[in-house]
Structure formats: C-alpha cells, structure tokens
Amino acid sequence: MSFLSYFINGISLGSVYAIIALGYTMVYGIAKMLNFAHGDVIMVGGYVIFQLVFALGVHPFIGILIAVIACTVLGVTIERLAYRPLRMAAPLAVLITAIGVSYLLQNLALLIFTSNPKSFQSLINVPALKLADGALVISGETMVTIVVGIVIVVVLSYFIRNTKSGRAMLAVSEDKGAAQLMGVNVNGTIAFTFAIGSALAAIGSVLLCSAYPTLTPQTGAMPGIKAFVAAVFGGIGSIPGAMLGGILLGVIENLSKAYISSQMADAIVFGVLILVLLVKPTGILGKKIQEKV
C-alpha cells in the first residue's frame, strides 16, 4: 500500500506542476518565448491569498478569486511593460529580461514581506478518503489537486479548439504575420495568453501552498523550474503534453524520494529529462516543426 500511496501523492504533485506548466507551454506555443518570471507569479498569488485570508480574515473563496485577478493583472502588466517592447528582439534579450523580472519580483517580495517564512494553512476542507480498511489514506488536498488539474486541461483544450479566441491563439502560434493579415490582434492575443497563464499560476499557488504550507519570496522558484521541465518533458507547446509531463515528473520525484534518496530526487528528475530529450528532442508529445526559410 505504501507504493500506491507514494504513487498517488506523486500524481497530486505532478498535477500542480502540470497546472503551472500550462502557463509556460501556452506562452511558448503562442509567443515563442520562455517566461521565467512565471514561477514568481505563483509566489505573488500565495502572498495575496495569505494576506487576505489569514491576515485580514477574508473568506477563502473571495481571497482566491482576488488572487486570480491580481495575478492576471500582474501577468498582463509584465507582458505589456517588459516583453512587448522586445517582440522583435533577439531571443536572448527576451530571456535575460524574463530572468530580470523574476529577480525583481522576488526582491520586491523580500522588501515587503521579509525573508521570514509564512505559515500557510490548507484552504481545502475535503475529508480524506480511506481505502482498504484505512491502510491507504488519500488526503483531501490530493484528491482536489488531481481533479482540478484534469478539469483545467479539459476546459483549456476545449477552449483552444472551439472558441474564436482559442483559434486566434492557434493562428498566432502558426504565423504571427499571416494571423495579423487575417485580422487577428496579435498583441491582444498574446496578452490574453499571459492572462490565462497567470490566472493558472494563482490556482497553482493555492494547491502548492496547501500541500506544502510554507510561504517565502522564493516559494515559486523551484516549482517554476520543475514546471518548465514538465512542459519540456511532455513537449512544450502541447497542453496534453504539459499535463503528462507534470504527472510523470511528480511521480518520478515522489518515488525517488521514497525509495532512493530525498537529496538525489531532483538530480534523478533532471537526469530522466535528459534521457528523454536524447531519445525524443521534442518531448513525449511534442511535434517537430519545419521552419520556413
């Protein structure tokens, strides 16, 4: 039963990575850039919820809703001020800017909230599920995280394929110039993509902080990196790939901690990523794209 428990908890952790990875994969798939500040948007969402719910006593649902709005506004602001002026710049310039925005958010949080860890209590009040006469216990946080991850992927996949805004995203991802000639607002579409990714980061922060109840200015750094790894693992630019990559990453990490070494778990995760990319450079569900010359 212990293996099954570790496996289910790995799926739960992987679902959090998948939700965060969706922000990376959407932005890269449409804007062809890596937003390394995405992990720090998670941290901002966590602090917004902490201040509203635990410091001011706001109802958790209202606190989460305000955090989603705050992260959405932050994501759109970052895109407008930091990334849009570099739309035609070299990829390296955009990458350095993204790293700079990440450190800016971390240091602002450090100045405002200090480095003292905040105790973040779980906002998920779902009773645990006991199976096999109590031999296997699945926490409410685990069940909610898995269900939320599946729902988000299904809804997002439907939105991309069956709505006008989603088809505009697909058009921009294929060819920005051609999409603009067809009347698509490229800047607006990219900003909308950042808005969705940042809203998902806020949801990810609720699930992450509920499972790992310690909040610091660096809270989003490592989960953000691992979510990026999950996106690459599954095939960056693919929504189902982000989900698959996140779950596989979470399961590998959890089983590595349980059966090999908690100190070596991260090294094993990145080692598996290298092996996968050596065999399939585009990731598990990634597709090879022929670039026009």
Side-chain angles (χ1 to χ4, degrees):
M1 283 297 176
S2 59
F3 173 82
L4 192 56
S5 177
Y6 292 135
F7 184 78
I8 293 171
N9 288 333
I11 294 176
S12 174
L13 176 62
S15 297
V16 176
Y17 290 154
I19 292 170
I20 301 168
L22 286 170
Y24 280 111
T25 206
M26 287 186 67
V27 169
Y28 181 83
I30 290 157
K32 297 295 183 290
M33 63 158 290
L34 297 173
N35 178 24
F36 278 114
H38 189 64
D40 299 289
V41 177
I42 300 167
M43 174 269 296
V44 171
Y47 273 111
V48 170
I49 294 170
F50 180 85
Q51 292 299 316
L52 290 172
V53 176
F54 302 116
L56 300 178
V58 175
H59 190 278
F61 179 79
I62 302 298
I64 293 171
L65 182 61
I66 293 174
V68 169
I69 295 171
C71 287
T72 301
V73 172
L74 176 62
V76 173
T77 303
I78 290 171
E79 189 278 331
R80 181 66 183 87
L81 298 180
Y83 300 144
R84 189 176 298 184
L86 300 175
R87 189 83 78 226
M88 304 305 295
L92 183 59
V94 181
L95 181 62
I96 292 171
T97 301
I99 295 172
V101 173
S102 172
Y103 280 106
L104 174 65
L105 292 176
Q106 285 186 32
N107 282 279
L108 285 175
L110 193 62
L111 287 172
I112 296 170
F113 302 108
T114 73
S115 60
N116 295 327
K118 307 292 184 184
S119 180
F120 195 107
Q121 301 173 20
S122 176
L123 299 179
I124 301 173
N125 295 317
V126 176
L129 178 64
K130 296 182 179 180
L131 302 173
D133 296 328
L136 177 62
V137 179
I138 305 174
S139 68
E141 288 85 358
T142 296
M143 292 186 290
V144 169
T145 300
I146 294 172
V147 170
V148 169
I150 293 171
V151 169
I152 286 175
V153 169
V154 171
V155 171
L156 203 54
S157 297
Y158 178 85
F159 172 81
I160 293 293
R161 297 184 179 277
N162 297 279
T163 67
K164 184 178 179 180
S165 297
R167 288 191 290 270
M169 290 179 180
L170 290 175
V172 171
S173 69
E174 288 290 332
D175 191 320
K176 292 185 182 66
Q180 192 165 19
L181 290 174
M182 295 300 292
V184 175
N185 184 343
V186 173
N187 286 332
T189 300
I190 292 175
F192 187 53
T193 305
F194 270 83
I196 294 175
S198 299
L200 292 176
I203 296 172
S205 71
V206 177
L207 300 173
L208 180 68
C209 292
S210 292
Y212 302 92
T214 302
L215 183 63
T216 70
Q218 290 78 37
T219 289
M222 185 53 74
I225 292 172
K226 289 182 179 178
F228 171 67
V229 170
V232 176
F233 198 11
I236 194 162
S238 167
I239 290 175
M243 185 66 181
L244 178 61
I247 289 176
L248 288 175
L249 192 76
V251 170
I252 292 169
E253 180 180 336
N254 230 38
L255 293 180
S256 298
K257 288 179 178 178
Y259 293 106
I260 301 176
S261 168
S262 58
Q263 286 80 19
M264 290 291 293
D266 289 346
I268 293 169
V269 165
F270 290 111
V272 171
L273 171 68
I274 292 170
L275 291 176
V276 169
L277 294 181
L278 286 173
V279 176
K280 199 171 189 301
T282 57
I284 297 173
L285 297 183
K287 296 179 181 179
K288 189 175 181 180
I289 299 174
Q290 298 290 341
E291 295 204 7
K292 297 177 183 178
V293 179

